[in-house]
């Protein structure tokens, strides 16, 4: 080939790839140490494809702040390419007509055969894919500092609430904070959820929080759940108000506190700090939660875009998220398990292996339930209403369980 011809060929290739490479703006709320590491892996994969990653991070555990910012961007007609949206909110956004149809990608990549059907159904609106799932987080975990338990004479993870309070007393006596917790409405409900499930059981949980049955919302099981929740408050520290969840995890990591109730994104923090599960820290189902599993599937909904290069980058993102490479590396960092079926779990730790096993087992036994606190069970407005009541009860020691229950029924009556 003559030199001039070669130059033209090179120029064409360069121009071609430049035209294909696009920018992908991704809204998420993954800003803690473990979360940032995890999302960093997605950024790397996208950059390796030649796409430009535009980070749109809005801090705030649980994503309440991120959702507020997203609304204003979409209303202004300037949505990001992708946003971390999950659960029934996916349907609400799709009904607004702002989400892209991902079916051509889903068909080419065979998503229907790579995902559990219930998860795939949640990603679709009127039968078309509009979102891509990232992982499965388990929420009803209890984390513990091995060191604090040892120094307090607690030999194993408590499996009942009675045992838990007896152990918490020992930890208090030994001079540690028994329970590390953050302090905002999202964190309060994240703690309340495994209490209610552990105290009331799966049927009660489903009736109250999935079906919003007033008879379950105002019942002896709810009263006992609220009383147990209030008792738990006697074991937290003064500084909890307004604290972020990851700073509470840090208290367990640093051996200042014994336990934390949090989904397994907390494990991402332990791992990012170089801590080893089973040695430095322990994971177990929250008391009374063995045999049940509150699930939380993170996902990205994709918005309709006009620019062809941006659409191509968005498609690259959708393909990347479902790839085995991403599903492994992301979830190893994030504390969750892959949502893609038949993944090799050999690199995962025992907490993740337990989660994977119990995800399958509880799906068969009926113990698999959507996490209300992580927006998987109800429409966002309803979750918000319940969160507010639980948070008011947590913050106001004078509010009786009866008032809280009446407020729950009131807040959810106009479904
Ligand atoms: C998300 C997790 C996230 C956590 C704390 C949850 O709702 O599903 O991915 O790590 O909030 O920000």
């Amino acid at each position: 080939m003559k030199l001039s011809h070669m130059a033209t060929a090179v120029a064409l290739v360069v121009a071609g790839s430049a035209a294909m490479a696009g920018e992908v703006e991704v809204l998420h709320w993954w800003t803690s140490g473990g979360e940032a590491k995890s999302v960093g892996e997605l950024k790397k994969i996208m950059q390796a494809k030649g796409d430009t990653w535009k980070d749109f991070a809005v801090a705030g555990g649980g994503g309440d702040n991120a959702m507020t910012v997203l609304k204003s961007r979409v209303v202004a007609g300037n949505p990001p390419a992708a946003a971390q949206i999950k659960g029934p909110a996916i349907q609400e956004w799709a009904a607004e007509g702002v989400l892209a149809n991902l079916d051509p990608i889903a068909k080419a990549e065979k998503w229907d055969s790579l995902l559990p059907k219930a998860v795939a159904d949640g990603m679709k609106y009127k039968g078309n894919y509009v979102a891509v799932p990232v992982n499965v987080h388990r929420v009803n975990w209890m984390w513990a500092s091995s060191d604090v338990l040892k120094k307090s004479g607690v030999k194993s993870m408590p499996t009942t609430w009675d045992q838990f309070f007896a152990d918490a007393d020992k930890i208090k006596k030994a001079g540690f904070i028994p329970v590390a917790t953050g302090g905002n409405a999202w964190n309060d409900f994240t703690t309340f959820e495994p209490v209610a499930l552990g105290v009331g059981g799966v049927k009660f949980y489903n009736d109250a929080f999935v079906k919003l049955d007033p008879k379950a919302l105002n019942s002896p099981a709810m009263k006992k759940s609220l009383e147990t929740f209030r008792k738990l408050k006697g074991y937290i520290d003064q500084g909890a108000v307004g604290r972020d969840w990851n700073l509470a995890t840090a208290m367990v990591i640093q051996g200042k506190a014994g336990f934390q109730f949090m989904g397994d994104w907390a494990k991402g923090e332990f791992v990012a700090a170089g801590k080893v599960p089973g040695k430095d820290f322990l994971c177990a189902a929250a008391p009374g939660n063995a045999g049940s599993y509150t699930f939380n599937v993170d996902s990205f909904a994709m918005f309709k875009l006009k620019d062809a290069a941006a659409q191509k980058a968005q498609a690259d993102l959708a393909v990347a998220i479902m790839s085995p490479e991403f599903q492994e590396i992301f979830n190893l960092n994030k504390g969750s398990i892959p949502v893609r079926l038949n993944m090799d779990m050999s690199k995962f730790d025992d907490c993740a292996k337990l989660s994977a096993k119990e995800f399958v087992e509880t799906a068969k036994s009926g113990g698999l339930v959507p996490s209300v606190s992580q927006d998987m069970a109800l429409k966002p407005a309803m979750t918000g209403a319940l969160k507010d009541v639980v948070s008011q009860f947590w913050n106001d020691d004078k509010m009786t369980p009866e008032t809280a229950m009446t407020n729950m029924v009131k807040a959810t009556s106009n479904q």
Side-chain angles (χ1 to χ4, degrees):
M1 203 194 278
K2 274 195 195 152
L3 261 185
S4 61
H5 285 168
M6 232 161 95
T8 315
V10 169
L12 278 176
V13 170
V14 171
S17 58
M20 290 322 278
E23 183 180 86
V24 67
E25 186 181 24
V26 184
L27 172 86
H28 61 90
W29 63 87
W30 289 328
T31 54
S32 76
E35 291 175 336
K37 255 186 115 183
S38 316
V39 75
E41 295 297 342
L42 184 55
K43 182 178 172 180
K44 273 191 229 156
I45 294 177
M46 290 303 287
Q47 286 170 339
K49 286 176 186 266
D51 294 308
T52 308
W53 175 275
K54 189 169 175 200
D55 205 43
F56 185 3
V58 182
D64 290 345
N65 300 342
M67 289 303 102
T68 309
V69 174
L70 176 64
K71 269 176 209 144
S72 60
R73 278 284 302 266
V74 178
V75 167
N78 181 25
Q84 195 186 341
I85 297 176
K86 54 187 166 126
I90 296 174
Q91 308 301 315
E92 281 195 349
W93 279 105
E96 294 292 322
V98 289
L99 299 186
N101 183 345
L102 305 175
D103 274 0
I105 306 167
K107 287 216 174 77
E109 298 285 317
K110 305 197 170 55
W111 288 357
D112 273 345
S113 64
L114 296 174
L115 292 170
K117 186 173 182 304
V119 173
D121 287 348
M123 302 297 130
K124 294 177 187 174
Y125 177 68
K126 298 196 170 153
N128 303 317
Y129 276 96
V130 291
V132 199
V134 171
N135 60 2
V136 180
H137 268 303
R138 183 183 190 173
V139 185
N140 55 344
W141 285 113
M142 178 170 57
W143 306 93
S145 152
S146 306
D147 200 39
V148 173
L149 294 202
K150 207 166 142 212
K151 287 182 177 150
S152 311
V154 175
K155 300 227 158 44
S156 57
M157 293 289 261
T159 54
T160 65
W161 285 105
D162 285 346
Q163 186 60 48
F164 169 80
F165 287 117
D167 290 345
D169 281 330
K170 287 188 193 166
I171 296 174
K172 210 183 216 175
K173 246 191 166 164
F176 300 101
I177 299 161
V179 179
T181 183
N184 55 46
W186 168 78
N187 202 130
D188 299 342
F189 206 95
T190 303
T191 312
F192 180 60
E193 188 171 288
V195 173
L197 182 56
V199 168
V202 170
K203 184 175 182 317
F204 159 71
Y205 179 97
N206 273 325
D207 288 348
F209 298 131
V210 181
K211 298 183 192 150
L212 296 177
D213 178 354
K215 281 198 230 85
L217 288 168
N218 193 344
S219 65
M222 187 63 86
K223 183 164 187 263
K224 182 119 194 276
S225 302
L226 288 163
E227 285 165 353
T228 309
F229 186 49
R230 177 154 289 158
K231 188 166 178 195
L232 194 66
K233 200 181 166 190
Y235 295 89
I236 67 168
D237 68 314
Q238 298 273 327
V241 181
R243 180 189 286 142
D244 288 331
W245 67 270
N246 53 314
L247 300 182
T249 311
M251 292 163 64
V252 182
I253 293 175
Q254 291 157 10
K256 293 182 182 151
F259 298 115
Q260 184 186 17
F261 296 96
M262 191 46 65
D264 41 24
W265 45 93
K267 199 184 71 193
E269 298 303 298
F270 284 102
V271 171
K275 301 295 172 191
V276 179
K279 186 176 153 268
D280 304 315
F281 70 97
L282 306 171
C283 64
N289 279 247
S292 60
Y293 188 119
T294 41
F295 69 88
N296 170 28
V297 175
D298 281 315
S299 47
F300 282 100
M302 305 284 171
F303 283 83
K304 282 183 184 159
L305 301 173
K306 292 195 190 88
D307 178 63
Q311 285 173 355
K312 168 71 173 48
Q314 185 184 53
D316 283 350
L317 179 69
V319 171
I321 289 173
M322 280 292 290
S323 70
E325 298 75 30
F326 167 78
Q327 291 276 326
E328 182 178 83
I329 189 77
F330 178 87
N331 288 304
L332 281 170
N333 283 292
K334 188 69 173 61
S336 37
I337 55 171
V339 67
R340 185 181 163 123
L341 295 168
N342 303 320
M343 287 279 300
D344 175 9
M345 292 294 288
S346 57
K347 287 197 191 139
F348 285 81
D349 60 40
D350 288 347
C351 303
K353 283 184 184 138
L354 182 66
S355 175
K357 180 173 159 273
E358 298 201 342
F359 183 61
V360 174
E361 283 175 8
T362 55
K364 284 185 197 139
S365 71
L368 184 65
V369 294
S371 165
V372 201
S373 62
Q374 308 312 310
D375 304 307
M376 297 302 295
L378 304 168
K379 290 201 170 144
M382 220 34 93
T383 311
L386 273 178
K387 268 190 210 165
D388 286 348
V389 177
V390 167
S391 202
Q392 279 156 11
F393 177 77
W394 177 256
N395 288 310
D396 178 359
D397 294 340
K398 291 203 192 82
M399 186 188 276
T400 62
E402 284 74 14
T403 306
M405 294 192 292
T406 310
N407 290 352
M408 277 190 199
V409 174
K410 255 195 239 156
T412 54
S413 59
N414 53 349
Q415 311 169 36

